[in-house]
Amino acid sequence: AQTVTQSQPEMSVQEAETVTLSCTYDTSESDYYLFWYKQPPSRQMILVIRQEAYKQQNATENRFSVNFQKAAKSFSLKISDSQLGDAAMYFCAYRSSNSGYALNFGKGTSLLVTP
Amino acid sequence: GAVVSQHPSWVICKSGTSVKIECRSLDFQATTMFWYRQFPKQSLMLMATSNEGSKATYEQGVEKDKFLINHASLTLSTLTVTSAHPEDSSFYICSARDRVETSGDIQYFGAGTRLSVL
């Protein structure tokens, strides 16, 4: 089974600054999908960004971008111009292209945004 | 965007009773739905994959007789926790995959159900 590792249990960033959350994964597959989900205190999972492994270009969504390094099996999330509303748990997730559509989540990183 | 409704949001029950949690896709048809369990300050763990019209596929270690899943239509999946005990107390989250293949790799999540067993 694929393993998703988020090595930062907690991160802190000042408002308007930039923060990077790390994620590594272990797989023998060449085709797969990677996701970052946000879980605010309401506990509603919100898709932040996704990346198809066959695409070399890093995905971006407004203030959110990823650094996808396929050879290194690394998928970090960069949040620019951090806002108070960005405070949440962030989960990195892997989805195989071969074995169903279930997501395999990392343990999460709790992001604190300070004024 | 697509909406998944999960009900109830919070349920308290006595030990030994059964609890049913519903997961509905409101504006799309969901071929596949997923049930996750999340303990406090932990990640989401997949419990089972629910396919419309067929038996659910359970992850290793998940008791299928304990956690009954029914996916009777393309918009509804239910999870029944049978003979609930305090150790079943947790946060249960469902997600649904849009039947339309062009958006098939996106899962839409319900808001979760907090189950407390006394």
Side-chain angles (χ1 to χ4, degrees), chain A:
Chain A
Q2 293 81 13
T3 304
V4 179
T5 302
Q6 292 180 250
S7 58
Q8 306 153 316
E10 294 180 351
M11 290 285 284
S12 181
V13 63
Q14 267 194 318
E15 212 174 351
E17 297 296 309
T18 296
V19 65
T20 299
L21 309 183
S22 65
C23 173
T24 58
Y25 56 94
D26 184 25
T27 185
S28 59
E29 298 177 335
S30 59
D31 192 19
Y32 47 87
Y33 297 84
L34 296 165
F35 304 83
W36 278 98
Y37 277 89
K38 170 184 177 181
Q39 188 180 42
S42 68
R43 304 190 80 170
Q44 171 74 60
M45 296 290 284
I46 301 167
L47 177 64
V48 175
I49 201 166
R50 64 171 173 153
Q51 174 85 41
E52 292 95 335
Y54 63 85
K55 290 186 177 179
Q56 292 187 339
Q57 187 173 8
N58 289 323
T60 63
E61 286 288 342
N62 301 315
R63 297 182 296 108
F64 299 88
S65 62
V66 297
N67 183 2
F68 173 49
Q69 301 289 329
K70 190 172 184 179
K73 298 178 184 176
S74 172
F75 183 61
S76 61
L77 174 69
K78 185 171 82 171
I79 306 174
S80 304
D81 187 25
S82 297
Q83 301 175 358
L84 293 176
D86 294 334
M89 280 291 291
Y90 285 82
F91 291 99
C92 178
Y94 174 103
R95 180 176 89 67
S96 169
S97 62
N98 297 324
S99 54
Y101 292 85
L103 295 172
N104 188 4
F105 288 91
K107 291 189 174 182
T109 296
S110 177
L111 179 65
L112 174 67
V113 182
T114 57

Side-chain angles (χ1 to χ4, degrees), chain B residues 8-72:
Chain B
S9 58
W10 193 2
V11 57
I12 302 172
C13 69
K14 292 183 179 180
S15 185
T17 61
S18 295
V19 173
K20 180 185 284 189
I21 302 169
E22 292 188 348
C23 181
R24 292 180 185 272
S25 56
L26 296 187
D27 48 4
F28 67 98
Q29 292 184 327
T31 310
T32 307
M33 290 186 173
F34 304 90
W35 289 95
Y36 296 87
R37 183 173 182 177
Q38 186 179 30
F39 288 105
K41 298 187 184 298
Q42 294 191 24
S43 187
L44 283 74
M45 299 300 295
L46 179 67
M47 298 176 65
T49 300
S50 169
N51 293 297
E52 186 266 336
S54 63
K55 290 184 178 180
T57 303
Y58 291 82
E59 295 299 299
Q60 193 172 10
V62 177
E63 299 176 59
K64 57 183 68 176
D65 294 331
K66 175 77 168 174
F67 299 99
L68 300 179
I69 291 172
N70 184 280
H71 193 159

